[in-house]
Amino acid sequence: TEIYTVLTALESAAAEILAARRPTDAELQPLVDATRDMTRALKQDDYDALGGVMGALRTKADALYHQLDSEPERDTMRKIMLRMVSVEGELAGKRVATADLAYAPADAPMVQKVIERLVDARLVVRGTEAIEPAHDALLRAWNTLRDWIHEAGKDRLILGGRLGMACRDFERTRNPEFLWHDNPNLAAVEKELKDARRCWFNAQEIGFIRRSV
């Protein structure tokens, strides 16, 4: 298991350097792609062999979650992490624009605080305009995140991604044809708004839904 220990240590060191440098997204992408290719190449048996290394990552993530000062901060961490996972096909991390993490204006300092904690823990890598998980392997190994994904449901997470794309198209063009007036998914996302615990839509997406009604 020594090679995997070394690779994971290098990945963590790279995340630490990048967190300090605040690279542009263009500078960040090649390293993220290389890291993701490496972790995807590992088989499940390889991850089992990692043993203590992966356990340390899980422990770090859970410790950070429980060390947050309030339930709203922990819920913010849940929403941020759910936005950074792709469940279409193999579970993997994805880049999220920091602009997409704008919820209620009063929540902005709390969102920034949670992001800072994730970056400081080297669980998340931050560019100039986006963040993404530093370790794809953590997404598979962190039971708390897997519980959040199960609770949310893959279909709902995929629907949320499609809502985000439609919202960004509308914000970019202001073309009302992008609104979901006749979209069969409108009823489902309206229902999500009524469940504050499970809803992770940002302020723009909520506005998009209300314009579409």
Side-chain angles (χ1 to χ4, degrees), residues 39-70:
T39 55
R40 286 175 178 170
L42 300 179
K43 298 179 180 178
Q44 186 59 50
D45 288 346
D46 299 322
Y47 286 112
D48 293 341
L50 281 169
V53 175
M54 296 309 298
L57 286 172
R58 286 194 298 268
T59 299
K60 179 187 290 187
D62 276 329
L64 172 58
Y65 176 72
H66 291 295
Q67 287 167 4
L68 292 172
D69 295 332
S70 65

Side-chain angles (χ1 to χ4, degrees), residues 131-185:
I131 62 172
E132 58 189 301
H135 312 274
D136 259 11
L138 175 62
L139 305 182
R140 303 183 184 96
W142 188 20
N143 293 333
T144 300
L145 177 58
R146 296 182 73 89
D147 289 344
W148 291 337
I149 293 171
H150 178 75
E151 178 186 5
K154 290 186 177 181
D155 289 344
R156 294 172 66 247
L157 290 172
I158 292 171
L159 176 60
R162 292 172 181 167
L163 170 67
M165 291 177 62
C167 178
R168 286 188 291 274
D169 287 339
F170 174 74
E171 292 294 331
R172 185 181 69 254
T173 65
R174 308 304 293 182
N175 184 342
E177 291 185 3
F178 284 110
L179 294 173
W180 279 11
H181 295 307
D182 301 317
N183 191 301
N185 291 315

Side-chain angles (χ1 to χ4, degrees), residues 184-204:
N185 291 315
L186 179 59
V189 293
E190 276 191 281
K191 184 179 179 180
E192 295 294 326
L193 291 182
K194 299 176 183 178
D195 187 347
R197 171 67 181 89
R198 299 179 68 188
C199 181
W200 67 94
F201 301 150
N202 62 33
Q204 282 192 344

